[in-house]
Amino acid sequence: MARSVTDIQIQNHFDIPVSPAAAWPILMNVPETAACFPGASGVEAVAENHYKGRVTVKLGPLTMVFSGNLHIERRNDAAHSAAIKAAWAETKWRDNANTMTQFALQEISGGTRVVMGSDLQLAGQVTQYGLGAGMISALSAQLIAMFAENLRGKIQAAGSNVSPPAAQQISGLGYRRT
């Protein structure tokens, strides 16, 4: 029996209250920035521009834990742009997800706009739960909005010894703080 595969292209953006020059080193500190991502945990460097970590996702009755590897490709420090390739494997259900996310920073009044485009390929059981491109795109938009909110909080708290926002779990039916 062939495995179900879903290919999805997602466009998104968010704004942060610092200049592109100040935002770039923050975003390139992958373990620190990943801590702002709902459901992400244990992200650590394994080599230059190579990282590993986990993401927990709740989709209806399923809680899925994906372990993955990320690699920063085509990093352009002068242009403040990069591409991140990631491969994720679900630890229990044999599902997987592969992504290629390209992003660039644009100066805007009051800070920086981070413009992103992702090519996402999902395979396995997750594709069999009626998760069409529309639902995945909506979940992605929710995830990026939470990430941006957490990142803005981290940036604003950077000089005041305030703890970063609590980690959040990704859910197709909303999210909850963990």
Side-chain angles (χ1 to χ4, degrees), residues 138-151:
L139 180 59
S140 174
Q142 176 190 26
L143 174 63
I144 294 300
M146 290 185 292
F147 169 72
E149 179 183 330
N150 292 343
L151 183 60

Side-chain angles (χ1 to χ4, degrees), residues 14-24 26-27 105-114 147-158:
F14 61 90
D15 299 339
I16 51 179
V18 294
S19 70
W24 185 248
I26 294 167
L27 292 170
L105 308 185
Q106 299 175 347
E107 187 166 359
I108 60 170
S109 177
T112 297
R113 174 158 292 155
V114 180
F147 169 72
E149 179 183 330
N150 292 343
L151 183 60
R152 285 188 292 269
K154 185 176 189 73
I155 289 168
Q156 291 169 348

Side-chain angles (χ1 to χ4, degrees), residues 119-139:
D119 293 321
L120 170 65
Q121 184 179 66
L122 298 170
Q125 184 172 332
V126 69
T127 64
Q128 298 171 8
Y129 281 92
L131 300 179
M135 184 173 178
I136 296 294
S137 294
L139 180 59

Side-chain angles (χ1 to χ4, degrees), residues 10-15 27 80-82 101-108 112-118:
I10 301 169
Q11 303 295 317
N12 218 317
H13 71 274
F14 61 90
D15 299 339
L27 292 170
H80 300 130
S81 65
T101 300
Q102 298 182 47
F103 69 95
L105 308 185
Q106 299 175 347
E107 187 166 359
I108 60 170
T112 297
R113 174 158 292 155
V114 180
V115 179
M116 305 168 39
S118 296

